[in-house]
Amino acid sequence: MAESTASSATAPSAGRYLGVLGRFGIVWVTLALFVVLVATTDGFLTGPNLRNVLDQQATLLIAASVATLTMIAGGFDVSIAAVAVVSPLVALRVENATGSVLLALLAGCAFGLVVGLANGSIVAFARINSFITTLATSFIVFGLGYIVSERSILRPVTESFRSIARTRVLNLTTATWISLAVVAVAWFALAGTRFGRHVYATGGNAEAARLAGVRTRHIVVSVFALSGLAAGLAGVVAASRTISATPSDDFSFVFGVIAAIVVGGTSIAGGTGAVWRTLLGAFFIAFMVNGFNLHQVDPIWQRVIQGVVILVAVSADAWSRSRRT
């Protein structure tokens, strides 16, 4: 009898331990990776290297932190890559014509916002799958990029355009500060507002949320609009860093965004996740890649390992959800 009592007491305790481990797993693995790199990699724990990591992740964090809301609401926005490519082309056309950096920044962000509103409206009101919708609009936007740029590389005519991303404040670039500000706003919007609660409800069970009074269609349109806006900002910041923008049909940016979100533990099925998870997911991948580069690991093997990490993260999410059902 005593054994039975002890056994039953141990089971909930073990369950709670596993629950905490699963909920904060991305915290532990990111800290573990950081400690391993500090102990084994010369040059990792230095100010210039860590500042470089922050600067390199700035554009991804801008887009991924807001795209987290879209995924939690049950959406999947592939058009992030297209918007990030074309918004700086629009911005530079405006900057070339007016000489105004502010107007250029606003034009790039506005372009992303319009694409996001179109995506959200199609998904919410035409009820077309979000992946198919945003894949289709990606090709449209990529095509517009070639038209806007006239198939040529665009460069700013004013030196001040580079100040959007490359000015240093307290030894960090403005690109880093912009990304941290966007992360903070997205984090608060999701975790501390009624809008955030409605995002979770829409992704968890849209019909139940609608019956409870949540305007689910408006939530869907809003998260896609915000995702487009953030992708537009990310694109302009990236162009400011490179002092140019090139038309292309490259989807690689969205793969990095999705990787950060799913490695962080946000469910691709919607309803669960957090911006802080995406932040840690992005840094886990960034630290891993930075360690690879410092150890001069072959880029081909880097891709293989990153693919395995993403697969493990998605598998862990599926396993965790299966245990809850």
Side-chain angles (χ1 to χ4, degrees), residues 3-305:
E3 282 185 26
S4 175
T5 303
S7 170
S8 62
T10 304
S13 178
R16 284 194 298 272
Y17 174 78
L18 289 173
V20 170
L21 186 65
R23 183 180 178 189
F24 298 104
I26 186 59
V27 178
W28 315 134
V29 296
T30 304
L31 285 175
L33 177 63
F34 186 85
V35 170
V36 167
L37 289 173
V38 168
T40 63
T41 309
D42 293 335
F44 176 75
L45 192 61
T46 63
N49 182 60
L50 294 179
R51 285 193 295 270
N52 184 52
V53 170
L54 280 170
D55 186 54
Q56 289 179 343
Q57 293 302 300
T59 53
L60 186 144
L61 285 174
I62 291 169
S65 59
V66 180
T68 301
L69 277 68
T70 307
M71 191 171 288
I72 291 173
F76 206 88
D77 190 356
V78 184
S79 69
I80 288 171
V83 171
V85 167
V86 179
S87 62
L89 296 172
V90 173
L92 284 173
R93 276 298 185 200
V94 172
E95 189 268 353
N96 289 180
T98 66
S100 172
V101 173
L102 178 59
L103 286 178
L105 178 61
L106 292 175
C109 292
F111 177 80
L113 179 63
V114 169
V115 174
L117 283 169
N119 285 333
S121 298
I122 294 169
V123 172
F125 296 100
R127 298 185 179 277
I128 300 175
N129 177 273
S130 61
F131 178 83
I132 301 301
T133 296
T134 56
L135 181 63
T137 56
S138 292
F139 289 111
I140 296 171
V141 172
F142 280 136
L144 290 174
Y146 286 104
I147 295 171
V148 168
S149 65
E150 297 178 347
R151 299 174 181 266
S152 61
I153 298 174
L154 298 184
R155 293 183 174 86
V157 296
T158 61
E159 285 294 317
S160 54
F161 185 81
R162 71 177 62 195
S163 65
I164 295 174
R166 300 176 63 154
T167 304
R168 288 197 173 269
V169 179
L170 300 178
N171 222 15
L172 296 177
T173 63
T174 41
T176 299
W177 287 113
I178 291 170
S179 69
L180 294 177
V182 173
V183 167
V185 171
W187 190 338
F188 174 74
L190 183 62
T193 67
R194 185 173 66 174
F195 170 75
R197 292 191 294 273
H198 288 179
V199 169
Y200 280 111
T202 300
N205 189 322
E207 183 59 21
R210 186 186 66 80
L211 293 174
V214 176
R215 302 173 72 182
T216 55
R217 290 183 176 180
H218 289 82
I219 293 296
V220 170
V221 173
S222 296
V223 294
F224 274 98
L226 291 172
S227 179
L229 175 62
L233 175 60
V236 175
V237 170
S240 175
R241 287 179 60 193
T242 60
I243 322 176
S244 66
T246 308
S248 74
D249 51 2
D250 182 9
F251 279 95
S252 60
F253 183 65
V254 74
F255 296 150
V257 168
I258 293 171
I261 296 172
V262 299
V263 168
T266 292
S267 174
I268 59 175
T272 60
V275 172
W276 66 264
R277 289 184 169 279
T278 297
L279 180 67
L280 288 177
F283 280 122
F284 176 82
I285 295 173
F287 290 153
M288 183 171 60
V289 171
N290 186 242
F292 286 153
N293 291 335
L294 291 174
H295 283 287
Q296 299 182 343
V297 175
D298 190 320
I300 295 174
W301 283 107
Q302 290 189 33
R303 289 179 177 272
V304 171
I305 296 170

